[in-house]
Amino acid sequence: MIRRITLALAAPVLAIAVAMAVSALMLALTDYSARDVFHVIFTDGLTRTNLVTTVNRAAPYYISGVAVAIGFKMNLFNIGVEGQYKLAALFGAAAAAAVELPAPLHILLTFLVAMLVGAAWASIPGLLKAYRGVSEVISSIMLNATALGVGAFFLQRWLRAPATESPVLGTKTISSSGHLPSLNGVLGAIGIDVPDATRVQSYLIVAALVGVAYYLLIWRSSYGFDLRATGSNAEAATANGGNAKRMIITAMLLSGATAGLIGLNNIMGPAARYTDVSVVSGLGFTGIAIALLGRNNPIGIAFAALLWAFMDAVQTPLSSAGLPK
């Protein structure tokens, strides 16, 4: 057990160490002090405000990593997570803005619509792979561009808010019942002091639930066993009574449904609507690196997401110190 854990940790730890060494070398070659950079990272970067930013940013990274990892467990490379979550965020925001419901139902409706849209878009490369042998790498990455075009078409034609409501192109504003609440009050009640002007997002709970569901589904269910077995050796699994085509499609559906949740933290939070700014770009591609660094393990992906989010958050203090971010 200890040897297995050590081997599992060796690759990401070595990757981080090599990255730090290469960064130090590049800093030295460009006449910057690596000592100054790492000093800022491990002092200003570890302030409470920066840590809150890190944790908030880690949540969508984590969900993105899990979405990609589901495909990896089936030996599928879902590069289409980027398009899946953007399209899902658009339709989720539009649906949330179109209704007035009690808070729990309003939030659940947004999640459901986003997951269905993400799953539907991911089903296209899944079906092409299962029935036509088309590489999911090619089809899913092409569908990223298609998703942007489809989203822009729907937003311009039917889903945009009137110009009188907002000059910025986007959906209508989601009413307060569809917003995810802040965790500041809960944390304050248990003695955790949150810095002023910062907001700990309850979207963190969504990410945690996704991680738990991922673990239970992949490692504690018969479906997860079939998925891992088919991903490891499709021919052997088929000879044992498995259905490789069904596993390909369901894995892509689950990956897409998970991807549908990635872009909801801002549109159900401070932004309260879909715009090009409220949904951050690049989270799907970053999820690939996070899943690989975390070795497709729910705990490993969590550490990888926190590391990546910390690297994002620490850019501000580095820039303030006049150092390359």
Side-chain angles (χ1 to χ4, degrees), residues 76-89:
L76 296 170
F77 207 151
N78 182 14
I79 307 184
V81 168
E82 183 78 11
Q84 291 154 22
Y85 85 79
K86 287 188 174 181
L87 206 59

Side-chain angles (χ1 to χ4, degrees), residues 8-36:
L9 292 174
V13 170
L14 182 61
I16 294 168
V18 170
M20 292 179 70
V22 172
S23 299
L25 176 62
M26 294 306 297
L27 288 166
L29 292 175
T30 51
D31 296 326
Y32 287 101
S33 169
R35 177 179 295 180
D36 291 345

Side-chain angles (χ1 to χ4, degrees), residues 9-316:
L9 292 174
V13 170
L14 182 61
I16 294 168
V18 170
M20 292 179 70
V22 172
S23 299
L25 176 62
M26 294 306 297
L27 288 166
L29 292 175
T30 51
D31 296 326
Y32 287 101
S33 169
R35 177 179 295 180
D36 291 345
V37 169
F38 289 124
H39 175 74
V40 171
I41 289 174
F42 294 113
T43 54
D44 296 347
L46 295 177
T47 61
R48 286 183 300 165
T49 299
N50 213 58
L51 290 177
V52 169
T53 302
T54 296
V55 171
N56 285 336
R57 291 186 178 186
Y61 280 154
Y62 182 76
I63 297 176
S64 180
V66 169
V68 175
I70 292 172
F72 281 158
K73 300 306 290 185
M74 180 54 205
N75 202 24
L76 296 170
F77 207 151
N78 182 14
I79 307 184
V81 168
E82 183 78 11
Q84 291 154 22
Y85 85 79
K86 287 188 174 181
L87 206 59
L90 169 62
F91 283 95
V99 298
E100 292 283 347
L101 292 170
L105 292 178
H106 204 161
I107 291 171
L108 288 175
L109 172 69
T110 309
F111 287 160
L112 179 61
V113 171
M115 292 177 71
L116 288 174
V117 172
W121 201 249
S123 71
I124 300 173
L127 290 167
L128 289 172
K129 172 76 171 182
Y131 291 103
R132 304 301 299 174
V134 177
S135 168
E136 78 284 358
V137 175
I138 303 301
S139 59
S140 63
I141 200 168
M142 292 175 69
L143 282 167
N144 282 332
T146 308
L148 294 179
V150 169
F153 175 79
F154 274 90
L155 182 59
Q156 286 276 7
R157 188 67 63 92
W158 292 296
L159 303 180
R160 68 181 301 174
T164 53
E165 180 179 319
S166 173
V168 179
L169 178 63
T171 62
K172 294 180 180 179
T173 302
I174 301 171
S175 63
S176 58
S177 61
H179 296 181
L180 289 171
S182 166
L183 293 178
N184 289 26
V186 175
L187 294 174
I190 60 176
I192 299 176
D193 186 23
V194 179
D196 295 335
T198 58
R199 182 178 186 271
V200 181
Q201 300 173 351
S202 56
Y203 184 72
L204 294 167
I205 298 174
V206 178
L209 291 175
V210 167
V212 172
Y214 172 61
Y215 171 75
L216 293 176
L217 179 69
I218 301 300
W219 282 276
R220 287 294 182 267
S221 72
S222 58
Y223 170 82
F225 175 80
D226 291 341
L227 184 132
R228 287 181 286 123
T230 306
S232 298
N233 191 323
E235 290 79 9
T238 301
N240 198 39
N243 188 325
K245 291 182 179 179
R246 180 174 66 87
M247 298 308 295
I248 290 171
I249 295 169
T250 56
M252 289 299 292
L253 287 174
L254 287 170
S255 180
T258 305
L261 298 172
I262 295 170
L264 299 182
N265 59 326
N266 284 335
I267 67 171
M268 299 178 72
R273 62 194 293 254
Y274 176 95
T275 66
D276 287 339
V277 176
S278 64
V279 179
V280 179
S281 297
L283 297 177
F285 296 117
T286 304
I288 298 171
I290 289 172
L292 291 171
L293 187 60
R295 301 175 69 85
N296 301 324
N297 180 281
I299 303 298
I301 295 172
F303 280 110
L306 285 167
L307 173 64
W308 214 281
F310 178 75
M311 291 192 295
D312 276 350
V314 82
Q315 292 182 45
T316 300

